[in-house]
Structure formats: C-alpha cells, structure tokens
Amino acid sequence: MQLENRTAIITGGAGSLGLATARLFLEEGARVVLVDRDEALLEEARASLDKERVLCIAADVSLEADTRRYVAACLSRFGSIDILFSNAGNFGEVRPIAEYSDAVFDAVLAVHVKGAYLAAKHASPHMREGGSIVITSSVAATRGDAGVYAYITAKHAQTGLMRCLAKELAPRGIRVNTIHPGPLDNAFQRDVEAGIGRELGIDGGEMFDRLIPLGRHGSVGEVARSVLYLASDAASFTTGTMLMVDGGMSI
C-alpha cells in the first residue's frame, strides 16, 4: 500500500493512461480525484471505481476558474493533496509550417502547458510535505519532427516548467518530475499515427515500431507503474528528472 491515506489529483483522468493510473493508485490505498473535460467518459470511469475514494470533476484544465474549482472540490472532499498527476493532453495536427493552424497550436499549448502550469499554481500551495507532482510529457520532448509543431513544442515546454517547479518546491520536500512515454497501444496514439500516416503516406504504427528499439508499442499499465514510482516514497530522492518510458526510442 504505497499510497495509503494519500490524495491524488489526476487530470486527463478519464483517458486510458489517467484511468489506468487511477486504478493502480486506488489499489495502493490512495484517494483519487479524476479531472476530465469529457463528462461521458468520466461517468463511465465513476461507475467502475470505488465511489467512496473517488471524486470525478468535469473541467477544462486550460481555464483558471475550472482549475480553482477542481482543487477546491478535492480539498472539500478529502482535505489534502499529496500527488498531482498532470496528464491532460491533446495532439493537434500534422501539417507543414505554412499550413499549420494557429488555433490548433494555441489549443494544444493551452492544455499541455497552461494546464500543467495552472494545476501546479493552484494545487501546490495545498500540497503536504513530501508530495509529488508528475507531468506527462512524451518521448517527443527529446526530438523534433516536421509537421508536429504544437505537440512537440508543448512537450518540450513541459520539461522547462517541471525544472522550475522542482527548484521552487524542493524546500518543502515536494518532488516534481516529468514522465516521457513512447508510443502506446491506445486510442490517442492511433489517432496520432493516423494523422502522420495521412501526411506522409505511410503506415504510422509500423513506422513507430521500427523506431522503438524494443520493437513494440508500450501499454498504459507499464507507464502507470512508472507514474506510481514517481508518486511514491520509492522516488523520495528523485526530482527534476525526465523519466523515459519509451522502449528506448530516445536513445
């Protein structure tokens, strides 16, 4: 029971990685607040989880008012915050720079970067000593690919945010790290691969498998276990780091 009597906020909580992490946190004794914009998916998640230890909040992580609201709801229900898993994300599109949509670029940075910033801004003042913030970045934060302007820019930006937070919050014993999944076998990644495949005229899934030294996509369960490590006391001396869970793709 690595997280017994601890409270975790998970944004993007109704998606595959958020929900897999929530289930694992619950198994380890945590109380969990799931935050997601998709109310239907949140309702499905609520129905499958321990209602005594789970709170579901529909919110847009890019809006300050919504962020204040889900933080306040967490404190009202559970009284404390120990873990913030800033996991909400969107992909955008794959286009040449001259054709890239400004609106799409702004929307992707709003969720990944401003969303993580607002979550830390409003949750960290209430976090207990020894807490943990984990931000879902990506192997994309270690590379550049033509056409993936919003997503890759956002993922690089999250690592800068993480490093600033790690410096500021260290005196309170709060650790801040980013986790960097490679391609996962989930709907989000399949959408990414479909977009890249259309733009390049290839099979996006096969392309990624060739780029991964372990030769396969990862599972959300594998990444969730790595998030648990960063959230738990097992990582008590780990802060300001980029944990790669990418099958070697960043080598």
Side-chain angles (χ1 to χ4, degrees):
M1 302 292 281
Q2 298 182 69
L3 304 180
E4 190 168 12
N5 296 321
R6 300 186 194 183
T7 301
I9 295 175
I10 301 177
T11 68
S16 61
L17 177 55
L19 189 54
T21 304
R23 294 187 193 283
L24 186 55
F25 280 12
L26 289 166
E27 289 174 9
E28 294 293 336
R31 301 173 292 264
V32 175
V33 177
L34 293 183
V35 178
D36 205 286
R37 190 171 59 179
D38 192 319
E39 293 188 49
L41 283 180
L42 269 180
E43 196 55 42
E44 288 182 23
R46 189 201 317 269
S48 67
L49 298 172
D50 180 350
K51 296 177 179 60
E52 293 298 316
R53 291 190 292 134
V54 173
L55 176 65
C56 294
I57 304 289
D60 183 337
V61 299
S62 70
L63 300 179
E64 187 160 30
D66 280 21
T67 305
R68 289 181 183 273
R69 180 167 55 81
Y70 73 69
V71 169
C74 175
L75 293 170
S76 177
R77 174 73 176 271
F78 297 123
S80 63
I81 304 170
D82 300 279
I83 300 159
L84 171 62
F85 181 30
S86 194
N87 173 64
N90 53 351
F91 179 68
E93 62 183 13
V94 181
R95 299 281 184 197
I97 187 65
E99 301 172 15
Y100 209 93
S101 164
D102 293 350
V104 168
F105 189 89
D106 290 344
V108 172
L109 266 68
V111 172
H112 291 271
V113 184
K114 190 174 182 183
Y117 155 80
L118 288 172
K121 178 179 181 178
H122 293 288
S124 64
H126 304 285
M127 293 181 72
R128 295 193 289 196
E129 184 173 342
S132 173
I133 296 175
V134 182
I135 300 172
T136 300
S137 183
S138 167
V139 66
T142 68
R143 56 187 293 123
D145 290 293
V148 195
Y149 291 102
Y151 188 76
I152 289 181
T153 299
K155 291 308 183 184
H156 278 76
Q158 285 177 322
T159 62
L161 174 65
M162 173 270 287
R163 288 172 174 142
C164 293
L165 290 168
K167 284 283 184 71
E168 178 174 338
L169 299 177
R172 293 174 52 202
I174 297 172
R175 298 168 291 104
V176 188
N177 298 282
T178 45
I179 192 158
H180 297 257
L184 301 181
D185 185 14
N186 63 1
F188 184 92
Q189 180 65 24
R190 285 191 288 274
D191 287 344
V192 170
E193 291 166 358
I196 291 173
R198 285 192 298 270
E199 186 67 27
L200 301 181
I202 60 173
D203 185 308
E206 290 181 0
M207 179 197 76
F208 278 110
D209 279 342
R210 289 194 298 271
L211 292 173
I212 302 167
L214 287 182
R216 64 173 177 86
H217 286 45
S219 72
V220 292
E222 288 172 311
V223 179
R225 289 192 292 273
S226 296
V227 177
L228 173 62
Y229 163 71
L230 291 175
S232 74
D233 291 341
S236 58
F237 200 54
T238 301
T239 195
T241 194
M242 298 167 59
L243 178 57
M244 309 307 299
V245 191
D246 65 350
M249 188 174 171
S250 56
I251 297 171

